[in-house]
Amino acid sequence: MVRQPSINAQHRPPLSTERIVDAALRIVDGQGLGRLTMRRLGDALEVEAMAIYHHLPRGKEQLLDGLVAHVAAAPAARPSPADAAAWRDALRRWARDYRARLVEHAGVLPLVVTRRNPPALAETTASLREIMRLGGVPEDAAATAAHTLLGYVVGHAALEVRGTPRPGDADEAGAAASTADWDRRFTAGLDLVLGAL
Amino acid sequence: MVRQPSINAQHRPPLSTERIVDAALRIVDGQGLGRLTMRRLGDALEVEAMAIYHHLPRGKEQLLDGLVAHVAAAPAARPSPADAAAWRDALRRWARDYRARLVEHAGVLPLVVTRRNPPALAETTASLREIMRLGGVPEDAAATAAHTLLGYVVGHAALEVRGTPRPGDADEAGAAASTADWDRRFTAGLDLVLGAL
DNA sequence: ACCTGAACACCGTTCAAGT
DNA sequence: ACCTGAACACCGTTCAAGT
């Protein structure tokens, strides 16, 4: 029986930034941000924690930046030329998608919401302004609208997370609002905001 | 020369929950949330870290809850009966005050925004609904308005923090938006939202 | 009742060393 | 180039002990 050079080197995909961030996101979604440690992340990847630093030289800071980028990346699907007049519907679709992604990864929300990153934020608002520019909305009205809409979406997602008891806490079936309540509230508020633009 | 029984016991105010939370807030405002540790907090209070647990049995969790309560406490000044018709102005005042407090304590914002606390959130929205109830706004319109407004205020505050480079980072005088820009954006968006209610 | 000191089980990160 | 192992300087928290 021929001895393998290493148990691991054979049937394990090599480490990569993408695999690392994916594993980190899985830990955060499943166990919460507080349980994301370099050592646990190493375990999940079947690697010593220190191997991660070879791919993320800035360490945990860079890992958290990667999580934010993965969740908050703004793929504001630009409307096809034919739809240009329907910019309001395009904004509505974008808002619903963005909110869904934020709430789905509630554990990352504290990072998305407050990590200082002016360039990433500028990119998001720019893509919103582009939708409105194609729809013929004046520049400065579009700039205000972009910040207002993004603020509402991000803020409401935060309220939803804040207003939902942790699974396993008390009063889970008590006075707390249900998912359906939050859906309704988000839609109602979104209609208000879009109507005002 | 008479020996003092203890250097500290004499001229030091006794520890209290309030003093602890105040000192913690000073550390967070001055150095950031990441530098708030029980040991550093003990130093600031001229006490061993372990003494804090006598006043906050739930430890750091309770400390963070205290910070959130201190910053996000919603003193929605209820309008005097004479002002009841001016509920829109009352909401505007409330929104400006709340936003100012959030931005002033930017370091606590990640906690305010996402710490699960349904009762505290319900209290805030209830006080907003009360302002509108006195102004004669129908119940369910007021409920939607309260969530929309609160979502906008919290979300915009988060955008401001996210869009402001840390003091000492690069491009501080570069492409980043100024305080005046953010003030203008907040006011413009607030007018949009209030106009839609 | 209030605080201390030592200890425990963790962290993130460095660095020299292995392959 | 990529990963490991030991080590360092921290964490939050417990517990017995002091006053």
Side-chain angles (χ1 to χ4, degrees):
Chain A
M1 209 207 220
V2 181
R3 202 177 158 283
Q4 303 290 25
S6 159
I7 290 206
N8 294 328
Q10 298 292 337
H11 51 68
R12 205 183 43 178
L15 222 44
S16 71
T17 307
E18 203 189 20
R19 276 191 64 226
I20 294 172
V21 172
D22 279 359
L25 190 60
R26 211 148 37 231
I27 291 176
V28 172
D29 286 344
Q31 314 181 241
L33 189 58
R35 290 187 58 82
L36 176 63
T37 68
M38 301 302 271
R39 283 167 167 91
R40 238 190 296 267
L41 182 55
D43 279 355
L45 294 161
E46 297 185 75
V47 131
E48 291 301 308
M50 294 69 197
I52 297 167
Y53 288 84
H54 204 267
H55 300 263
L56 303 177
R58 271 179 35 244
K60 197 166 187 183
E61 284 293 297
Q62 195 172 356
L63 177 64
L64 299 183
D65 286 344
L67 286 176
V68 171
H70 193 279
V71 172
R78 58 171 26 136
S80 60
D83 292 346
W87 57 271
R88 222 182 285 264
D89 286 336
L91 289 183
R92 193 191 316 270
R93 261 198 312 278
W94 177 89
R96 302 186 77 94
D97 288 356
Y98 201 72
R99 174 230 181 198
R101 205 133 35 96
L102 293 181
V103 173
E104 193 175 355
H105 301 287
V108 198
L109 195 56
L111 304 176
V112 174
V113 147
T114 52
R115 288 227 122 201
R116 317 233 176 201
N117 192 345
L121 180 57
E123 200 184 330
T124 306
T125 55
S127 81
L128 288 177
R129 286 201 308 275
E130 173 69 3
I131 292 177
M132 291 183 267
R133 197 187 62 77
L134 292 175
V137 180
E139 289 285 346
D140 53 341
T144 297
H147 276 93
T148 308
L149 179 61
L150 182 57
Y152 170 71
V153 173
V154 165
H156 200 278
L159 294 186
E160 295 183 47
V161 171
R162 196 167 159 238
T164 306
R166 252 184 324 236
D169 259 21
D171 99 339
E172 209 176 328
S178 71
T179 308
D181 288 332
W182 284 113
D183 283 356
R184 201 166 35 243
R185 286 168 188 164
F186 176 77
T187 304
L190 180 58
D191 284 341
L192 275 184
V193 172
L194 287 175
L197 300 187
Chain B
M1 210 213 230
V2 181
R3 202 175 157 283
Q4 303 291 26
S6 159
I7 290 206
N8 292 329
Q10 297 291 338
H11 50 70
R12 205 184 43 178
L15 222 46
S16 71
T17 308
E18 204 188 20
R19 275 190 65 226
I20 294 172
V21 173
D22 279 0
L25 190 60
R26 211 148 35 230
I27 291 176
V28 173
D29 285 344
Q31 314 182 241
L33 189 58
R35 290 187 58 81
L36 176 64
T37 68
M38 300 304 271
R39 283 167 166 92
R40 239 190 296 266
L41 182 55
D43 278 355
L45 293 162
E46 298 185 73
V47 130
E48 291 301 310
M50 296 68 198
I52 297 167
Y53 288 84
H54 204 267
H55 299 263
L56 302 177
R58 270 179 37 244
K60 196 167 186 182
E61 284 293 297
Q62 195 172 355
L63 177 64
L64 299 183
D65 286 343
L67 286 177
V68 171
H70 193 280
V71 171
R78 59 172 25 140
S80 60
D83 292 346
W87 57 271
R88 221 181 285 263
D89 288 335
L91 289 184
R92 193 190 316 270
R93 261 196 313 277
W94 178 89
R96 302 186 77 96
D97 288 356
Y98 201 72
R99 174 230 181 199
R101 204 131 38 94
L102 293 181
V103 172
E104 194 175 357
H105 301 288
V108 198
L109 195 56
L111 304 176
V112 173
V113 147
T114 51
R115 288 226 122 203
R116 318 233 177 201
N117 192 345
L121 181 56
E123 200 184 330
T124 305
T125 55
S127 81
L128 288 177
R129 286 201 309 275
E130 174 68 2
I131 292 177
M132 291 183 267
R133 197 187 63 77
L134 293 176
V137 180
E139 288 285 346
D140 53 342
T144 297
H147 276 94
T148 308
L149 180 61
L150 182 58
Y152 170 72
V153 172
V154 165
H156 199 279
L159 294 187
E160 296 184 46
V161 172
R162 202 172 153 229
T164 307
R166 251 185 326 235
D169 259 20
D171 99 340
E172 210 176 327
S178 71
T179 309
D181 288 332
W182 284 112
D183 283 356
R184 202 165 34 242
R185 286 167 188 164
F186 176 76
T187 304
L190 179 58
D191 285 341
L192 275 184
V193 172
L194 287 175
L197 300 187

